Amino acid sequence: MSSETLTIESPILNRNERLAAELRERFRAAGVYVINVLSSPGSGKTSTILATNERLRDRYRSAVIEGDIASDVDAQTMKEAGIPAVQINTGGLCHLEGNMIGQAVDALDQGVGLANIDVIFIENVGNLVCPVDFDLGENLAVMILSVPEGDDKPVKYPGIFQHAGAQLLNKVDVAPAFDFDMAAYHAVLDDLNPTAPRFAVSARTGEGMDAWCAWLANEIEAVRA
């Protein structure tokens, strides 16, 4: 048998694009604003979602789709905070895909009702490479980098920083303990993605969270108008 090379990336991505388009229309029809939260493990995705919801819950009813390779720790954390959550375990896959989100949205619709949800946070699998290629029908992709990870991440993983519609630098409260070059961080983002707004925040202390939430609320309202 002669050698043969099978390219699977294009069919997978093409299928996902079709599913993402269907999801986007479903979200639009339901009046749900969707935020795809991207980062590496340990950056503070869960704590940032919780802190954001705390500031916006009087205006918007939120739900969360949690993506992890294994466990339901984050989904349980959300439920304990009173936020409806659906857990997706990818079993080793380093990103979420449209078919997974579709099933999770079905579960939310059956359990809560999309008519009772204004905002869905998708907490993607912690990874700085794979999630970029998979549209989930979201309105906004948010990239969270934490100070302890280092200022060189935009240089090493440019794609995810270019993709993001907003940049959050988390854990700025511990910046004095780390050698994080803020000027270098901003200089790289000036080149990669100069238009996306940037917020220096601490989900733990609340620093910068009001500015981030005010901007996000404006984005939500612009879509709902």
Side-chain angles (χ1 to χ4, degrees):
M1 180 179 178
S2 61
S3 62
E4 183 177 1
T5 300
L6 300 178
T7 302
I8 64 173
E9 180 181 16
S10 292
I12 290 174
L13 290 178
N14 289 341
R15 174 175 176 265
N16 189 79
E17 287 300 314
R18 291 194 297 272
L19 291 171
E22 293 172 6
L23 284 168
R24 186 167 284 109
E25 176 55 27
R26 184 177 184 182
F27 295 142
R28 186 203 62 76
V32 178
Y33 189 92
V34 181
I35 305 163
N36 187 5
V37 184
L38 309 169
S39 80
S40 60
S43 67
K45 291 191 298 295
T46 302
S47 59
T48 300
I49 292 171
L50 287 170
T52 301
N53 178 71
E54 179 69 21
R55 287 160 176 79
L56 296 180
R57 65 182 180 179
D58 290 340
R59 297 181 64 179
Y60 307 115
R61 299 161 295 178
S62 297
V64 179
I65 297 172
E66 292 285 352
D68 288 294
I69 290 175
S71 87
D72 64 349
V73 173
D74 291 337
Q76 290 302 321
T77 298
M78 294 298 172
K79 290 176 181 177
E80 289 169 5
I83 308 172
V86 174
Q87 181 71 53
I88 298 174
N89 289 139
T90 66
L93 200 65
C94 61
H95 59 272
L96 296 176
E97 297 182 5
N99 62 312
M100 303 176 191
I101 300 303
Q103 294 178 49
V105 172
D106 287 343
L108 284 172
D109 199 11
Q110 294 168 14
V112 182
L114 286 184
N116 298 312
I117 299 172
D118 300 310
V119 177
I120 294 177
F121 293 93
I122 300 174
E123 185 170 345
N124 217 312
V125 180
N127 188 287
L128 295 182
V129 180
C130 304
V132 177
D133 292 329
F134 290 85
D135 184 357
L136 303 180
E138 71 268 23
N139 297 93
L140 174 69
V142 177
M143 174 59 203
I144 301 177
L145 175 69
S146 66
V147 166
E149 295 173 76
D151 58 78
D152 60 348
K153 290 301 180 291
V155 175
K156 293 181 177 180
Y157 304 95
I160 200 163
F161 290 91
Q162 289 174 319
H163 175 75
Q167 314 274 356
L168 270 64
L169 179 61
N170 192 25
K171 305 185 183 181
V172 293
D173 54 311
V174 300
F178 292 89
D179 185 21
F180 190 96
D181 189 331
M182 197 70 69
Y185 164 75
H186 284 292
V188 175
L189 289 185
D190 285 344
D191 182 53
L192 292 176
N193 191 348
T195 60
R198 303 169 202 169
F199 302 91
V201 305
S202 169
R204 186 179 69 88
T205 68
E207 180 179 349
M209 289 299 300
D210 288 344
W212 149 244
C213 290
W215 178 86
L216 178 59
N218 285 335
E219 294 297 299
I220 295 170
E221 290 304 314
V223 171
R224 291 157 65 102

